[in-house]
PDB file of all heavy atoms in Angstrom:
ATOM      1  N   LEU R 486       4.252 -25.352 -10.487  1.00 92.00           N
ATOM      2  CA  LEU R 486       2.889 -25.495  -9.889  1.00 92.00           C
ATOM      3  C   LEU R 486       2.187 -24.198  -9.869  1.00 92.00           C
ATOM      4  O   LEU R 486       2.825 -23.139  -9.682  1.00 92.00           O
ATOM      5  CB  LEU R 486       3.042 -26.033  -8.462  1.00 92.00           C
ATOM      6  CG  LEU R 486       3.587 -27.430  -8.238  1.00 92.00           C
ATOM      7  CD1 LEU R 486       3.900 -27.776  -6.811  1.00 92.00           C
ATOM      8  CD2 LEU R 486       2.560 -28.410  -8.768  1.00 92.00           C
ATOM      9  N   VAL R 487       0.931 -24.234 -10.036  1.00 93.00           N
ATOM     10  CA  VAL R 487       0.075 -22.964 -10.014  1.00 93.00           C
ATOM     11  C   VAL R 487      -0.880 -23.101  -8.861  1.00 93.00           C
ATOM     12  O   VAL R 487      -1.475 -24.115  -8.631  1.00 93.00           O
ATOM     13  CB  VAL R 487      -0.706 -22.788 -11.382  1.00 93.00           C
ATOM     14  CG1 VAL R 487      -1.526 -21.545 -11.327  1.00 93.00           C
ATOM     15  CG2 VAL R 487       0.327 -22.734 -12.560  1.00 93.00           C
ATOM     16  N   SER R 488      -0.991 -22.017  -8.159  1.00 94.00           N
ATOM     17  CA  SER R 488      -1.857 -21.991  -6.972  1.00 94.00           C
ATOM     18  C   SER R 488      -2.413 -20.538  -6.782  1.00 94.00           C
ATOM     19  O   SER R 488      -2.054 -19.651  -7.544  1.00 94.00           O
ATOM     20  CB  SER R 488      -1.051 -22.352  -5.719  1.00 94.00           C
ATOM     21  OG  SER R 488      -1.882 -22.290  -4.560  1.00 94.00           O
ATOM     22  N   SER R 489      -3.325 -20.352  -5.861  1.00 94.00           N
ATOM     23  CA  SER R 489      -3.777 -19.056  -5.443  1.00 94.00           C
ATOM     24  C   SER R 489      -3.071 -18.746  -4.110  1.00 94.00           C
ATOM     25  O   SER R 489      -2.384 -19.652  -3.570  1.00 94.00           O
ATOM     26  CB  SER R 489      -5.300 -18.977  -5.317  1.00 94.00           C
ATOM     27  OG  SER R 489      -5.648 -19.645  -4.135  1.00 94.00           O
ATOM     28  N   ALA R 490      -3.234 -17.676  -3.563  1.00 95.00           N
ATOM     29  CA  ALA R 490      -2.572 -17.294  -2.268  1.00 95.00           C
ATOM     30  C   ALA R 490      -3.419 -17.705  -1.071  1.00 95.00           C
ATOM     31  O   ALA R 490      -3.119 -17.310   0.039  1.00 95.00           O
ATOM     32  CB  ALA R 490      -2.254 -15.819  -2.220  1.00 95.00           C
ATOM     33  N   GLN R 491      -4.509 -18.410  -1.295  1.00 96.00           N
ATOM     34  CA  GLN R 491      -5.338 -18.867  -0.112  1.00 96.00           C
ATOM     35  C   GLN R 491      -4.557 -19.953   0.652  1.00 96.00           C
ATOM     36  O   GLN R 491      -3.877 -20.804   0.053  1.00 96.00           O
ATOM     37  CB  GLN R 491      -6.633 -19.426  -0.605  1.00 96.00           C
ATOM     38  CG  GLN R 491      -7.417 -18.384  -1.406  1.00 96.00           C
ATOM     39  CD  GLN R 491      -7.704 -17.136  -0.550  1.00 96.00           C
ATOM     40  OE1 GLN R 491      -8.156 -17.229   0.576  1.00 96.00           O
ATOM     41  NE2 GLN R 491      -7.377 -16.002  -1.096  1.00 96.00           N
ATOM     42  N   PRO R 492      -4.738 -19.935   2.001  1.00 96.00           N
ATOM     43  CA  PRO R 492      -3.935 -20.930   2.781  1.00 96.00           C
ATOM     44  C   PRO R 492      -4.216 -22.404   2.334  1.00 96.00           C
ATOM     45  O   PRO R 492      -3.242 -23.135   2.290  1.00 96.00           O
ATOM     46  CB  PRO R 492      -4.449 -20.689   4.230  1.00 96.00           C
ATOM     47  CG  PRO R 492      -4.888 -19.271   4.238  1.00 96.00           C
ATOM     48  CD  PRO R 492      -5.453 -19.013   2.791  1.00 96.00           C
ATOM     49  N   SER R 493      -5.449 -22.782   2.069  1.00 96.00           N
ATOM     50  CA  SER R 493      -5.694 -24.178   1.665  1.00 96.00           C
ATOM     51  C   SER R 493      -5.040 -24.501   0.385  1.00 96.00           C
ATOM     52  O   SER R 493      -4.544 -25.664   0.197  1.00 96.00           O
ATOM     53  CB  SER R 493      -7.171 -24.427   1.609  1.00 96.00           C
ATOM     54  OG  SER R 493      -7.794 -23.605   0.615  1.00 96.00           O
ATOM     55  N   THR R 494      -5.024 -23.662  -0.608  1.00 96.00           N
ATOM     56  CA  THR R 494      -4.403 -23.912  -1.906  1.00 96.00           C
ATOM     57  C   THR R 494      -2.860 -23.908  -1.786  1.00 96.00           C
ATOM     58  O   THR R 494      -2.197 -24.652  -2.446  1.00 96.00           O
ATOM     59  CB  THR R 494      -4.869 -23.002  -3.020  1.00 96.00           C
ATOM     60  OG1 THR R 494      -4.554 -21.638  -2.663  1.00 96.00           O
ATOM     61  CG2 THR R 494      -6.314 -23.211  -3.285  1.00 96.00           C
ATOM     62  N   ILE R 495      -2.304 -23.117  -0.884  1.00 96.00           N
ATOM     63  CA  ILE R 495      -0.888 -23.129  -0.644  1.00 96.00           C
ATOM     64  C   ILE R 495      -0.525 -24.441  -0.057  1.00 96.00           C
ATOM     65  O   ILE R 495       0.476 -25.096  -0.467  1.00 96.00           O
ATOM     66  CB  ILE R 495      -0.417 -21.998   0.274  1.00 96.00           C
ATOM     67  CG1 ILE R 495      -0.633 -20.610  -0.432  1.00 96.00           C
ATOM     68  CG2 ILE R 495       1.011 -22.168   0.804  1.00 96.00           C
ATOM     69  CD1 ILE R 495       0.276 -20.351  -1.579  1.00 96.00           C
ATOM     70  N   ASP R 496      -1.353 -24.911   0.933  1.00 96.00           N
ATOM     71  CA  ASP R 496      -1.092 -26.247   1.447  1.00 96.00           C
ATOM     72  C   ASP R 496      -1.135 -27.335   0.406  1.00 96.00           C
ATOM     73  O   ASP R 496      -0.287 -28.283   0.407  1.00 96.00           O
ATOM     74  CB  ASP R 496      -2.131 -26.572   2.597  1.00 96.00           C
ATOM     75  CG  ASP R 496      -1.895 -25.729   3.813  1.00 96.00           C
ATOM     76  OD1 ASP R 496      -0.800 -25.203   4.067  1.00 96.00           O
ATOM     77  OD2 ASP R 496      -2.935 -25.667   4.577  1.00 96.00           O
ATOM     78  N   GLU R 497      -2.087 -27.242  -0.520  1.00 96.00           N
ATOM     79  CA  GLU R 497      -2.202 -28.229  -1.617  1.00 96.00           C
ATOM     80  C   GLU R 497      -0.986 -28.171  -2.444  1.00 96.00           C
ATOM     81  O   GLU R 497      -0.422 -29.197  -2.940  1.00 96.00           O
ATOM     82  CB  GLU R 497      -3.434 -27.977  -2.493  1.00 96.00           C
ATOM     83  CG  GLU R 497      -4.740 -28.328  -1.711  1.00 96.00           C
ATOM     84  CD  GLU R 497      -5.982 -27.934  -2.500  1.00 96.00           C
ATOM     85  OE1 GLU R 497      -5.853 -27.446  -3.666  1.00 96.00           O
ATOM     86  OE2 GLU R 497      -7.063 -28.034  -1.933  1.00 96.00           O
ATOM     87  N   ALA R 498      -0.486 -26.934  -2.797  1.00 94.00           N
ATOM     88  CA  ALA R 498       0.722 -26.788  -3.591  1.00 94.00           C
ATOM     89  C   ALA R 498       1.951 -27.462  -2.948  1.00 94.00           C
ATOM     90  O   ALA R 498       2.762 -28.068  -3.582  1.00 94.00           O
ATOM     91  CB  ALA R 498       0.983 -25.361  -3.943  1.00 94.00           C
ATOM     92  N   VAL R 499       2.050 -27.239  -1.609  1.00 95.00           N
ATOM     93  CA  VAL R 499       3.134 -27.839  -0.851  1.00 95.00           C
ATOM     94  C   VAL R 499       3.033 -29.372  -0.956  1.00 95.00           C
ATOM     95  O   VAL R 499       4.034 -30.091  -1.144  1.00 95.00           O
ATOM     96  CB  VAL R 499       3.142 -27.332   0.618  1.00 95.00           C
ATOM     97  CG1 VAL R 499       4.114 -28.155   1.488  1.00 95.00           C
ATOM     98  CG2 VAL R 499       3.472 -25.910   0.653  1.00 95.00           C
ATOM     99  N   PHE R 500       1.796 -29.859  -0.770  1.00 95.00           N
ATOM    100  CA  PHE R 500       1.607 -31.378  -0.859  1.00 95.00           C
ATOM    101  C   PHE R 500       2.005 -31.929  -2.201  1.00 95.00           C
ATOM    102  O   PHE R 500       2.713 -32.896  -2.325  1.00 95.00           O
ATOM    103  CB  PHE R 500       0.143 -31.698  -0.592  1.00 95.00           C
ATOM    104  CG  PHE R 500      -0.254 -33.097  -0.764  1.00 95.00           C
ATOM    105  CD1 PHE R 500       0.098 -34.091   0.193  1.00 95.00           C
ATOM    106  CD2 PHE R 500      -0.843 -33.519  -1.931  1.00 95.00           C
ATOM    107  CE1 PHE R 500      -0.224 -35.389  -0.036  1.00 95.00           C
ATOM    108  CE2 PHE R 500      -1.113 -34.872  -2.202  1.00 95.00           C
ATOM    109  CZ  PHE R 500      -0.831 -35.800  -1.171  1.00 95.00           C
ATOM    110  N   VAL R 501       1.607 -31.253  -3.293  1.00 93.00           N
ATOM    111  CA  VAL R 501       1.913 -31.737  -4.620  1.00 93.00           C
ATOM    112  C   VAL R 501       3.452 -31.638  -4.841  1.00 93.00           C
ATOM    113  O   VAL R 501       4.022 -32.505  -5.409  1.00 93.00           O
ATOM    114  CB  VAL R 501       1.126 -30.933  -5.674  1.00 93.00           C
ATOM    115  CG1 VAL R 501       1.596 -31.212  -7.108  1.00 93.00           C
ATOM    116  CG2 VAL R 501      -0.394 -31.234  -5.544  1.00 93.00           C
ATOM    117  N   HIS R 502       3.958 -30.481  -4.450  1.00 93.00           N
ATOM    118  CA  HIS R 502       5.436 -30.330  -4.535  1.00 93.00           C
ATOM    119  C   HIS R 502       6.166 -31.467  -3.844  1.00 93.00           C
ATOM    120  O   HIS R 502       7.145 -32.093  -4.445  1.00 93.00           O
ATOM    121  CB  HIS R 502       5.892 -28.964  -3.852  1.00 93.00           C
ATOM    122  CG  HIS R 502       7.319 -28.832  -3.797  1.00 93.00           C
ATOM    123  ND1 HIS R 502       8.163 -28.636  -4.838  1.00 93.00           N
ATOM    124  CD2 HIS R 502       8.160 -28.856  -2.662  1.00 93.00           C
ATOM    125  CE1 HIS R 502       9.418 -28.523  -4.374  1.00 93.00           C
ATOM    126  NE2 HIS R 502       9.448 -28.656  -3.077  1.00 93.00           N
ATOM    127  N   ARG R 503       5.810 -31.805  -2.652  1.00 92.00           N
ATOM    128  CA  ARG R 503       6.466 -32.914  -2.006  1.00 92.00           C
ATOM    129  C   ARG R 503       6.256 -34.259  -2.639  1.00 92.00           C
ATOM    130  O   ARG R 503       7.164 -35.102  -2.653  1.00 92.00           O
ATOM    131  CB  ARG R 503       5.979 -32.940  -0.517  1.00 92.00           C
ATOM    132  CG  ARG R 503       6.502 -31.744   0.265  1.00 92.00           C
ATOM    133  CD  ARG R 503       6.231 -31.794   1.719  1.00 92.00           C
ATOM    134  NE  ARG R 503       6.816 -30.695   2.338  1.00 92.00           N
ATOM    135  CZ  ARG R 503       6.401 -30.124   3.521  1.00 92.00           C
ATOM    136  NH1 ARG R 503       5.344 -30.594   4.089  1.00 92.00           N
ATOM    137  NH2 ARG R 503       7.003 -29.095   4.037  1.00 92.00           N
ATOM    138  N   ARG R 504       5.075 -34.499  -3.182  1.00 91.00           N
ATOM    139  CA  ARG R 504       4.818 -35.712  -3.883  1.00 91.00           C
ATOM    140  C   ARG R 504       5.719 -35.802  -5.152  1.00 91.00           C
ATOM    141  O   ARG R 504       6.229 -36.836  -5.445  1.00 91.00           O
ATOM    142  CB  ARG R 504       3.372 -35.782  -4.286  1.00 91.00           C
ATOM    143  CG  ARG R 504       2.392 -36.023  -3.176  1.00 91.00           C
ATOM    144  CD  ARG R 504       2.510 -37.349  -2.476  1.00 91.00           C
ATOM    145  NE  ARG R 504       2.036 -38.307  -3.346  1.00 91.00           N
ATOM    146  CZ  ARG R 504       2.491 -39.648  -3.330  1.00 91.00           C
ATOM    147  NH1 ARG R 504       3.194 -39.998  -2.364  1.00 91.00           N
ATOM    148  NH2 ARG R 504       1.951 -40.462  -4.196  1.00 91.00           N
ATOM    149  N   LEU R 505       5.821 -34.688  -5.825  1.00 90.00           N
ATOM    150  CA  LEU R 505       6.627 -34.628  -7.054  1.00 90.00           C
ATOM    151  C   LEU R 505       8.112 -34.893  -6.643  1.00 90.00           C
ATOM    152  O   LEU R 505       8.847 -35.610  -7.325  1.00 90.00           O
ATOM    153  CB  LEU R 505       6.568 -33.308  -7.754  1.00 90.00           C
ATOM    154  CG  LEU R 505       5.202 -33.106  -8.514  1.00 90.00           C
ATOM    155  CD1 LEU R 505       5.123 -31.653  -9.037  1.00 90.00           C
ATOM    156  CD2 LEU R 505       5.069 -34.073  -9.635  1.00 90.00           C
ATOM    157  N   GLU R 506       8.553 -34.287  -5.563  1.00 89.00           N
ATOM    158  CA  GLU R 506       9.914 -34.584  -5.060  1.00 89.00           C
ATOM    159  C   GLU R 506      10.144 -36.071  -4.773  1.00 89.00           C
ATOM    160  O   GLU R 506      11.176 -36.539  -5.113  1.00 89.00           O
ATOM    161  CB  GLU R 506      10.184 -33.755  -3.806  1.00 89.00           C
ATOM    162  CG  GLU R 506      10.674 -32.372  -4.017  1.00 89.00           C
ATOM    163  CD  GLU R 506      11.062 -31.689  -2.698  1.00 89.00           C
ATOM    164  OE1 GLU R 506      10.525 -31.983  -1.622  1.00 89.00           O
ATOM    165  OE2 GLU R 506      11.886 -30.808  -2.791  1.00 89.00           O
ATOM    166  N   ALA R 507       9.181 -36.654  -4.131  1.00 89.00           N
ATOM    167  CA  ALA R 507       9.327 -38.098  -3.812  1.00 89.00           C
ATOM    168  C   ALA R 507       9.381 -38.927  -5.127  1.00 89.00           C
ATOM    169  O   ALA R 507      10.021 -39.934  -5.088  1.00 89.00           O
ATOM    170  CB  ALA R 507       8.093 -38.559  -2.998  1.00 89.00           C
ATOM    171  N   LEU R 508       8.753 -38.458  -6.154  1.00 90.00           N
ATOM    172  CA  LEU R 508       8.783 -39.113  -7.448  1.00 90.00           C
ATOM    173  C   LEU R 508      10.000 -38.728  -8.274  1.00 90.00           C
ATOM    174  O   LEU R 508      10.137 -39.145  -9.426  1.00 90.00           O
ATOM    175  CB  LEU R 508       7.497 -38.966  -8.191  1.00 90.00           C
ATOM    176  CG  LEU R 508       6.208 -39.533  -7.638  1.00 90.00           C
ATOM    177  CD1 LEU R 508       5.003 -39.059  -8.283  1.00 90.00           C
ATOM    178  CD2 LEU R 508       6.238 -40.985  -7.561  1.00 90.00           C
ATOM    179  N   ARG R 509      10.768 -37.825  -7.691  1.00 87.00           N
ATOM    180  CA  ARG R 509      11.951 -37.226  -8.382  1.00 87.00           C
ATOM    181  C   ARG R 509      11.462 -36.517  -9.687  1.00 87.00           C
ATOM    182  O   ARG R 509      12.208 -36.530 -10.743  1.00 87.00           O
ATOM    183  CB  ARG R 509      12.954 -38.265  -8.755  1.00 87.00           C
ATOM    184  CG  ARG R 509      13.537 -38.914  -7.409  1.00 87.00           C
ATOM    185  CD  ARG R 509      14.441 -39.990  -7.729  1.00 87.00           C
ATOM    186  NE  ARG R 509      14.655 -40.673  -6.406  1.00 87.00           N
ATOM    187  CZ  ARG R 509      15.729 -41.103  -6.004  1.00 87.00           C
ATOM    188  NH1 ARG R 509      16.822 -41.120  -6.769  1.00 87.00           N
ATOM    189  NH2 ARG R 509      15.831 -41.717  -4.766  1.00 87.00           N
ATOM    190  N   ARG R 510      10.372 -35.856  -9.557  1.00 82.00           N
ATOM    191  CA  ARG R 510       9.831 -35.020 -10.663  1.00 82.00           C
ATOM    192  C   ARG R 510       9.645 -33.589 -10.170  1.00 82.00           C
ATOM    193  O   ARG R 510       8.606 -33.004 -10.427  1.00 82.00           O
ATOM    194  CB  ARG R 510       8.442 -35.631 -11.074  1.00 82.00           C
ATOM    195  CG  ARG R 510       8.442 -36.994 -11.569  1.00 82.00           C
ATOM    196  CD  ARG R 510       8.874 -37.017 -12.981  1.00 82.00           C
ATOM    197  NE  ARG R 510       8.740 -38.293 -13.551  1.00 82.00           N
ATOM    198  CZ  ARG R 510       9.222 -38.676 -14.725  1.00 82.00           C
ATOM    199  NH1 ARG R 510       9.828 -37.762 -15.361  1.00 82.00           N
ATOM    200  NH2 ARG R 510       9.062 -39.850 -15.163  1.00 82.00           N
ATOM    201  N   ASP R 511      10.574 -33.108  -9.520  1.00 68.00           N
ATOM    202  CA  ASP R 511      10.479 -31.731  -8.888  1.00 68.00           C
ATOM    203  C   ASP R 511      10.313 -30.700  -9.982  1.00 68.00           C
ATOM    204  O   ASP R 511      10.950 -30.717 -11.032  1.00 68.00           O
ATOM    205  CB  ASP R 511      11.709 -31.469  -8.084  1.00 68.00           C
ATOM    206  CG  ASP R 511      11.666 -30.274  -7.210  1.00 68.00           C
ATOM    207  OD1 ASP R 511      10.456 -29.917  -6.901  1.00 68.00           O
ATOM    208  OD2 ASP R 511      12.651 -29.691  -6.896  1.00 68.00           O
ATOM    209  N   GLY R 512       9.391 -29.740  -9.778  1.00 72.00           N
ATOM    210  CA  GLY R 512       9.242 -28.613 -10.727  1.00 72.00           C
ATOM    211  C   GLY R 512      10.212 -27.532 -10.405  1.00 72.00           C
ATOM    212  O   GLY R 512      10.829 -27.510  -9.300  1.00 72.00           O
ATOM    213  N   ASP R 513      10.356 -26.566 -11.276  1.00 81.00           N
ATOM    214  CA  ASP R 513      11.259 -25.456 -11.086  1.00 81.00           C
ATOM    215  C   ASP R 513      10.613 -24.271 -10.514  1.00 81.00           C
ATOM    216  O   ASP R 513      11.316 -23.478  -9.889  1.00 81.00           O
ATOM    217  CB  ASP R 513      11.877 -25.104 -12.445  1.00 81.00           C
ATOM    218  CG  ASP R 513      12.826 -26.132 -12.938  1.00 81.00           C
ATOM    219  OD1 ASP R 513      13.302 -26.913 -12.118  1.00 81.00           O
ATOM    220  OD2 ASP R 513      13.254 -26.079 -14.111  1.00 81.00           O
ATOM    221  N   CYS R 514       9.301 -23.988 -10.695  1.00 92.00           N
ATOM    222  CA  CYS R 514       8.735 -22.782 -10.238  1.00 92.00           C
ATOM    223  C   CYS R 514       7.333 -22.888  -9.784  1.00 92.00           C
ATOM    224  O   CYS R 514       6.588 -23.933 -10.059  1.00 92.00           O
ATOM    225  CB  CYS R 514       8.870 -21.687 -11.316  1.00 92.00           C
ATOM    226  SG  CYS R 514       7.718 -21.921 -12.662  1.00 92.00           S
ATOM    227  N   PHE R 515       6.885 -21.889  -9.042  1.00 95.00           N
ATOM    228  CA  PHE R 515       5.553 -21.736  -8.537  1.00 95.00           C
ATOM    229  C   PHE R 515       4.986 -20.460  -9.131  1.00 95.00           C
ATOM    230  O   PHE R 515       5.645 -19.380  -9.069  1.00 95.00           O
ATOM    231  CB  PHE R 515       5.483 -21.730  -7.062  1.00 95.00           C
ATOM    232  CG  PHE R 515       5.945 -22.990  -6.345  1.00 95.00           C
ATOM    233  CD1 PHE R 515       7.319 -23.239  -6.196  1.00 95.00           C
ATOM    234  CD2 PHE R 515       5.008 -23.842  -5.875  1.00 95.00           C
ATOM    235  CE1 PHE R 515       7.695 -24.444  -5.633  1.00 95.00           C
ATOM    236  CE2 PHE R 515       5.412 -24.971  -5.230  1.00 95.00           C
ATOM    237  CZ  PHE R 515       6.754 -25.315  -5.094  1.00 95.00           C
ATOM    238  N   VAL R 516       3.757 -20.433  -9.538  1.00 95.00           N
ATOM    239  CA  VAL R 516       3.023 -19.259 -10.032  1.00 95.00           C
ATOM    240  C   VAL R 516       1.774 -19.113  -9.060  1.00 95.00           C
ATOM    241  O   VAL R 516       1.005 -20.050  -8.976  1.00 95.00           O
ATOM    242  CB  VAL R 516       2.586 -19.406 -11.483  1.00 95.00           C
ATOM    243  CG1 VAL R 516       1.658 -18.202 -11.832  1.00 95.00           C
ATOM    244  CG2 VAL R 516       3.760 -19.500 -12.382  1.00 95.00           C
ATOM    245  N   ILE R 517       1.768 -18.052  -8.361  1.00 96.00           N
ATOM    246  CA  ILE R 517       0.583 -17.792  -7.532  1.00 96.00           C
ATOM    247  C   ILE R 517      -0.270 -16.779  -8.173  1.00 96.00           C
ATOM    248  O   ILE R 517       0.076 -15.580  -8.428  1.00 96.00           O
ATOM    249  CB  ILE R 517       1.144 -17.308  -6.103  1.00 96.00           C
ATOM    250  CG1 ILE R 517       2.287 -18.202  -5.615  1.00 96.00           C
ATOM    251  CG2 ILE R 517       0.006 -17.149  -5.142  1.00 96.00           C
ATOM    252  CD1 ILE R 517       1.939 -19.689  -5.541  1.00 96.00           C
ATOM    253  N   ASN R 518      -1.478 -17.181  -8.417  1.00 94.00           N
ATOM    254  CA  ASN R 518      -2.476 -16.315  -9.143  1.00 94.00           C
ATOM    255  C   ASN R 518      -3.364 -15.486  -8.111  1.00 94.00           C
ATOM    256  O   ASN R 518      -3.439 -15.821  -6.934  1.00 94.00           O
ATOM    257  CB  ASN R 518      -3.472 -17.190  -9.830  1.00 94.00           C
ATOM    258  CG  ASN R 518      -2.967 -17.606 -11.170  1.00 94.00           C
ATOM    259  OD1 ASN R 518      -2.401 -16.851 -11.871  1.00 94.00           O
ATOM    260  ND2 ASN R 518      -3.362 -18.909 -11.551  1.00 94.00           N
ATOM    261  N   ARG R 519      -3.908 -14.447  -8.641  1.00 94.00           N
ATOM    262  CA  ARG R 519      -4.921 -13.617  -7.919  1.00 94.00           C
ATOM    263  C   ARG R 519      -4.390 -13.042  -6.556  1.00 94.00           C
ATOM    264  O   ARG R 519      -5.075 -13.056  -5.590  1.00 94.00           O
ATOM    265  CB  ARG R 519      -6.192 -14.412  -7.681  1.00 94.00           C
ATOM    266  CG  ARG R 519      -6.841 -14.830  -8.990  1.00 94.00           C
ATOM    267  CD  ARG R 519      -8.096 -15.617  -8.776  1.00 94.00           C
ATOM    268  NE  ARG R 519      -8.748 -15.889 -10.031  1.00 94.00           N
ATOM    269  CZ  ARG R 519      -9.854 -16.487 -10.203  1.00 94.00           C
ATOM    270  NH1 ARG R 519     -10.499 -16.963  -9.174  1.00 94.00           N
ATOM    271  NH2 ARG R 519     -10.285 -16.729 -11.374  1.00 94.00           N
ATOM    272  N   VAL R 520      -3.157 -12.625  -6.662  1.00 96.00           N
ATOM    273  CA  VAL R 520      -2.527 -11.999  -5.522  1.00 96.00           C
ATOM    274  C   VAL R 520      -3.020 -10.533  -5.427  1.00 96.00           C
ATOM    275  O   VAL R 520      -2.868  -9.839  -6.418  1.00 96.00           O
ATOM    276  CB  VAL R 520      -0.983 -12.129  -5.558  1.00 96.00           C
ATOM    277  CG1 VAL R 520      -0.390 -11.345  -4.384  1.00 96.00           C
ATOM    278  CG2 VAL R 520      -0.531 -13.573  -5.591  1.00 96.00           C
ATOM    279  N   ARG R 521      -3.513 -10.097  -4.353  1.00 95.00           N
ATOM    280  CA  ARG R 521      -4.005  -8.761  -4.170  1.00 95.00           C
ATOM    281  C   ARG R 521      -2.755  -7.855  -4.017  1.00 95.00           C
ATOM    282  O   ARG R 521      -1.905  -8.079  -3.099  1.00 95.00           O
ATOM    283  CB  ARG R 521      -4.935  -8.622  -2.956  1.00 95.00           C
ATOM    284  CG  ARG R 521      -6.203  -9.267  -3.242  1.00 95.00           C
ATOM    285  CD  ARG R 521      -7.069  -9.380  -1.974  1.00 95.00           C
ATOM    286  NE  ARG R 521      -6.667 -10.519  -1.244  1.00 95.00           N
ATOM    287  CZ  ARG R 521      -7.500 -11.484  -0.842  1.00 95.00           C
ATOM    288  NH1 ARG R 521      -8.806 -11.412  -1.071  1.00 95.00           N
ATOM    289  NH2 ARG R 521      -7.052 -12.567  -0.157  1.00 95.00           N
ATOM    290  N   PRO R 522      -2.601  -6.898  -4.819  1.00 91.00           N
ATOM    291  CA  PRO R 522      -1.451  -5.963  -4.752  1.00 91.00           C
ATOM    292  C   PRO R 522      -1.666  -4.932  -3.632  1.00 91.00           C
ATOM    293  O   PRO R 522      -2.773  -4.493  -3.308  1.00 91.00           O
ATOM    294  CB  PRO R 522      -1.383  -5.253  -6.131  1.00 91.00           C
ATOM    295  CG  PRO R 522      -2.824  -5.241  -6.545  1.00 91.00           C
ATOM    296  CD  PRO R 522      -3.436  -6.514  -6.002  1.00 91.00           C
ATOM    297  N   ARG R 523      -0.570  -4.616  -2.968  1.00 90.00           N
ATOM    298  CA  ARG R 523      -0.526  -3.495  -2.046  1.00 90.00           C
ATOM    299  C   ARG R 523      -0.822  -2.165  -2.618  1.00 90.00           C
ATOM    300  O   ARG R 523      -0.349  -1.930  -3.711  1.00 90.00           O
ATOM    301  CB  ARG R 523       0.722  -3.452  -1.198  1.00 90.00           C
ATOM    302  CG  ARG R 523       1.053  -4.856  -0.639  1.00 90.00           C
ATOM    303  CD  ARG R 523       1.229  -5.047   0.718  1.00 90.00           C
ATOM    304  NE  ARG R 523       0.899  -4.060   1.719  1.00 90.00           N
ATOM    305  CZ  ARG R 523       1.166  -4.219   2.953  1.00 90.00           C
ATOM    306  NH1 ARG R 523       1.789  -5.228   3.337  1.00 90.00           N
ATOM    307  NH2 ARG R 523       0.780  -3.277   3.800  1.00 90.00           N
ATOM    308  N   MET R 524      -1.580  -1.361  -2.019  1.00 89.00           N
ATOM    309  CA  MET R 524      -1.847  -0.020  -2.495  1.00 89.00           C
ATOM    310  C   MET R 524      -0.986   0.981  -1.850  1.00 89.00           C
ATOM    311  O   MET R 524      -0.743   2.108  -2.342  1.00 89.00           O
ATOM    312  CB  MET R 524      -3.361   0.359  -2.338  1.00 89.00           C
ATOM    313  CG  MET R 524      -4.305  -0.634  -2.878  1.00 89.00           C
ATOM    314  SD  MET R 524      -4.217  -0.537  -4.642  1.00 89.00           S
ATOM    315  CE  MET R 524      -5.954  -0.288  -5.080  1.00 89.00           C
ATOM    316  N   LEU R 525      -0.515   0.647  -0.635  1.00 88.00           N
ATOM    317  CA  LEU R 525       0.311   1.594   0.193  1.00 88.00           C
ATOM    318  C   LEU R 525       1.661   0.928   0.423  1.00 88.00           C
ATOM    319  O   LEU R 525       1.802  -0.286   0.435  1.00 88.00           O
ATOM    320  CB  LEU R 525      -0.362   1.791   1.528  1.00 88.00           C
ATOM    321  CG  LEU R 525      -1.720   2.466   1.569  1.00 88.00           C
ATOM    322  CD1 LEU R 525      -2.357   2.471   2.949  1.00 88.00           C
ATOM    323  CD2 LEU R 525      -1.674   3.871   0.961  1.00 88.00           C
ATOM    324  N   PRO R 526       2.685   1.698   0.574  1.00 84.00           N
ATOM    325  CA  PRO R 526       3.984   1.129   0.972  1.00 84.00           C
ATOM    326  C   PRO R 526       3.771   0.303   2.294  1.00 84.00           C
ATOM    327  O   PRO R 526       2.956   0.626   3.175  1.00 84.00           O
ATOM    328  CB  PRO R 526       4.906   2.294   1.199  1.00 84.00           C
ATOM    329  CG  PRO R 526       4.211   3.441   0.571  1.00 84.00           C
ATOM    330  CD  PRO R 526       2.749   3.171   0.523  1.00 84.00           C
ATOM    331  N   GLU R 527       4.558  -0.719   2.446  1.00 78.00           N
ATOM    332  CA  GLU R 527       4.524  -1.538   3.658  1.00 78.00           C
ATOM    333  C   GLU R 527       4.652  -0.764   4.904  1.00 78.00           C
ATOM    334  O   GLU R 527       5.594   0.058   5.022  1.00 78.00           O
ATOM    335  CB  GLU R 527       5.511  -2.690   3.574  1.00 78.00           C
ATOM    336  CG  GLU R 527       5.263  -3.696   4.633  1.00 78.00           C
ATOM    337  CD  GLU R 527       6.048  -5.082   4.343  1.00 78.00           C
ATOM    338  OE1 GLU R 527       6.431  -5.267   3.230  1.00 78.00           O
ATOM    339  OE2 GLU R 527       6.146  -5.812   5.279  1.00 78.00           O
TER     340      GLU R 527
END
């Protein structure tokens, strides 16, 4: 599944993931696009 890091799209990815699980079509990975990289150490 591909998503962005926005809360609403994460919720959508979780929803699709659960639907796929219910259909026994579970995916193997998640790709999160447009993640802002940290500039400073945590």
Side-chain angles (χ1 to χ4, degrees):
L486 291 170
V487 178
S488 178
S489 74
Q491 299 303 309
S493 61
T494 59
I495 293 293
D496 291 339
E497 290 172 7
V499 171
F500 173 79
V501 170
H502 169 71
R503 289 186 176 153
R504 293 289 296 156
L505 288 171
E506 276 186 330
L508 296 170
R509 298 174 193 217
R510 300 276 187 192
D511 192 25
D513 288 343
C514 74
F515 293 81
V516 175
I517 311 306
N518 276 323
R519 298 181 177 179
V520 176
R521 289 170 276 236
R523 306 238 12 187
M524 304 292 236
L525 299 172
E527 191 162 344

